[in-house]
């Protein structure tokens, strides 16, 4: 990805973060997920008093995109910080989000973890989730067949 594309995606993640619902942790996260067709789906973290139903920003963006028919993605930018603090480098997505993203992207998704538009790390989902488990793992393996 070009620097300008990365920075635009980071800006959209920061905008998404403004909608975060975080009355318990006060840690606001925003994500911007780039579809292969160029459309961007944003998400924020949404907490719940029961904790388990809490949804991360990355999955919010992913589920929004999938619920609108999108299935192919190329990159995701993630930003976050405590309310009132300078931005932190969020080393996400979390394990659950990595697995959810892997379902649709495999290891090649570009992951951008940003503190600012100029201070960010670019990696891949495969680097964050080596030996990921995806749809291909559930395909029949005829090489194991006794016939």
């Amino acid at each position: 990805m070009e620097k300008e594309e990365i920075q635009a995606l980071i800006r959209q993640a920061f905008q998404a973060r403004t909608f975060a619902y975080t009355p318990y942790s006060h840690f606001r996260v925003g994500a911007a997920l780039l579809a292969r067709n160029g459309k961007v789906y944003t998400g924020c973290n949404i907490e719940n008093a029961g904790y388990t139903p809490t949804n991360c920003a990355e999955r919010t963006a992913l589920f929004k995109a999938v619920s609108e028919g999108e299935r192919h993605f190329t990159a995701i930018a993630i930003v976050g910080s405590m309310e009132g603090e300078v931005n932190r480098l969020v080393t996400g997505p979390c394990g659950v989000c990595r697995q959810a993203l892997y379902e649709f992207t495999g290891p090649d998704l570009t992951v951008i973890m940003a503190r600012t538009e100029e201070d960010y790390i670019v990696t891949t989902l495969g680097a964050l989730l080596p030996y990921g488990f995806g749809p291909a793992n559930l395909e029949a393996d005829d090489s194991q067949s006794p016939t």
Side-chain angles (χ1 to χ4, degrees):
M1 291 183 72
E2 299 291 327
K3 183 176 182 177
E4 295 78 24
E5 293 174 298
I6 291 170
Q7 291 174 325
L9 207 56
I10 291 169
R11 278 192 299 277
Q12 289 177 292
F14 276 119
Q15 179 61 37
R17 187 182 67 176
T18 65
F19 298 112
Y21 177 75
T22 59
Y24 310 106
S25 74
H26 305 287
F27 194 87
R28 304 167 66 85
V29 179
L33 180 63
L34 177 63
R36 190 167 51 193
N37 66 8
K39 187 170 180 180
V40 175
Y41 296 86
T42 59
C44 61
N45 55 327
I46 304 165
E47 293 182 345
N48 187 286
Y51 293 110
T52 302
T54 293
N55 204 51
C56 297
E58 299 90 332
R59 278 181 286 140
T60 299
L62 177 65
F63 295 165
K64 184 190 302 184
V66 172
S67 72
E68 293 179 20
E70 193 61 59
R71 299 290 189 273
H72 306 284
F73 308 98
T74 59
I76 189 167
I78 307 155
V79 300
S81 69
M82 294 295 292
E83 291 176 11
E85 287 188 4
V86 175
N87 301 317
R88 294 184 183 180
L89 187 63
V90 177
T91 54
C94 74
V96 173
C97 290
R98 291 175 193 190
Q99 181 60 47
L101 289 163
Y102 198 93
E103 177 74 16
F104 294 94
T105 69
D108 297 329
L109 180 73
T110 298
V111 178
I112 304 155
M113 299 170 279
R115 185 184 327 252
T116 69
E117 288 181 41
E118 297 295 331
D119 183 7
Y120 56 85
I121 295 171
V122 178
T123 189
T124 64
L125 188 58
L128 295 172
L129 185 65
Y131 311 106
F133 188 87
N137 295 97
L138 298 176
E139 293 175 2
D141 183 359
D142 291 335
S143 67
Q144 302 291 324
S145 177
T147 58

